[in-house]
Amino acid sequence: MKLYSGDLSPYSARVRMQIYAKGITDIALERPATFGTPKFREQFPIGRIPVLDVDGDMMPESEVIAEYLEAIYPEPSLLGATPRETAHVRTVARIGDIYLMNNMFMLSPQSRAATRNEGIVELLGGQVVRNVKALNRLIGEDGFACCGRITMADCALVPALFMVENVLPSTGVDDPIPANGKVAAYWAAIQTNEHAARVLAELHRGLEERRALIRSGAFDKMMAAAKAAQAAADAEA
């Protein structure tokens, strides 16, 4: 199998952390050469990473991939020991994946906008702040999100909280993690976990590469070229 991934993609990071935590060694990690081009969208209609290549069958969507990997590599389990524990793991994972990461994904362009759209910042930034408060009521207090051990909830929360801490302030919204004691304690503890630390190093590397491209002006040129190429491809379709 092959996982099409990218250092700065939080959704890809979620799956990579799961792979590391489960000790899976037969999945190759690769950044697709055509990512960001019409060719990539032809191959992968959703147009986003991660994508898991299973003998030529392309599986998109991080949550779907995570559940698939959990099914075919059941040990060590990153779910709960009981159905109720598993439901809690999945609830916390969805907070990371949907309520935090998805809002941050849509908000992140405002971090590099010449003029911010304050309506977007207020709406999406406000959602992130409120959802960190909600997470504060549900998160574990023993260094892990659930069950006293690493689970799929941690795999979703680590990239989500990375985005909150490192990207949200650049949109003009204060990082809400320090103001939520349980989340702050969890965040400090989970970063010492070897699997979390590995994926965080990748995320930081990707963020520094992105910032260098933005500073040089190359990122704006890349985005404009990709937009023009996609518009041309859509016009021909």
Side-chain angles (χ1 to χ4, degrees):
M1 288 186 290
K2 182 184 297 183
L3 182 74
Y4 292 108
S5 173
D7 280 348
L8 190 54
S9 162
Y11 301 101
S12 299
R14 172 190 181 179
V15 179
R16 292 198 308 269
M17 185 168 163
Q18 180 187 18
I19 289 170
Y20 303 154
K22 294 181 82 67
I24 301 170
T25 58
D26 59 349
I27 299 178
L29 303 178
E30 182 179 311
R31 181 177 175 82
T34 59
F35 185 63
T37 71
K39 180 68 174 177
F40 182 80
R41 191 170 286 275
E42 285 178 20
Q43 296 172 299
F44 312 106
I46 293 176
R48 291 169 63 177
I49 49 178
V51 175
L52 184 66
D53 180 346
V54 185
D55 296 325
D57 178 18
M58 303 300 177
M59 182 184 302
E61 283 299 300
S62 62
E63 184 176 355
V64 174
I65 295 169
E67 292 287 353
Y68 177 76
L69 294 179
E70 197 63 28
I72 64 172
Y73 297 97
E75 298 297 334
S77 174
L78 299 193
L79 296 174
T82 66
R84 185 64 190 91
E85 281 189 355
T86 292
H88 183 58
V89 168
R90 287 181 169 137
T91 297
V92 175
R94 284 177 70 81
I95 290 175
D97 191 30
I98 299 173
Y99 294 83
L100 296 180
M101 260 197 282
N102 191 52
N103 283 313
M104 283 304 309
F105 185 81
M106 294 187 292
L107 179 60
S108 61
Q110 298 301 315
S111 69
R112 58 180 185 271
T115 303
R116 292 188 198 125
N117 184 320
E118 294 302 333
I120 291 176
V121 172
E122 182 178 358
L123 174 64
L124 299 179
Q127 287 290 330
V128 171
V129 170
R130 284 190 289 275
N131 291 321
V132 170
K133 289 180 181 178
L135 177 63
N136 199 60
R137 299 178 59 184
L138 295 170
I139 201 162
E141 298 181 60
D142 51 11
F144 297 97
C146 309
C147 305
R149 57 181 171 81
I150 197 164
T151 65
M152 288 171 65
D154 298 291
C155 297
L157 284 180
V158 165
L161 293 177
F162 168 87
M163 295 291 288
V164 171
E165 181 177 70
N166 290 280
V167 179
L168 186 63
S170 61
T171 68
V173 179
D174 291 339
D175 175 9
I177 295 174
N180 290 273
K182 292 180 182 179
V183 175
Y186 164 79
W187 187 226
I190 198 63
Q191 291 182 70
T192 67
N193 176 272
E194 62 176 313
H195 309 303
R198 182 177 177 182
V199 85
L200 284 167
E202 294 166 349
L203 284 161
H204 278 291
R205 181 175 64 203
L207 183 60
E208 287 309 308
E209 290 173 354
R210 173 67 57 82
R211 286 174 171 168
L213 288 171
I214 291 171
R215 288 193 297 269
S216 71
F219 185 74
D220 286 341
K221 292 178 182 177
M222 289 166 52
M223 293 296 289
K227 184 177 180 180
Q230 188 61 57
D234 291 343
E236 292 175 1

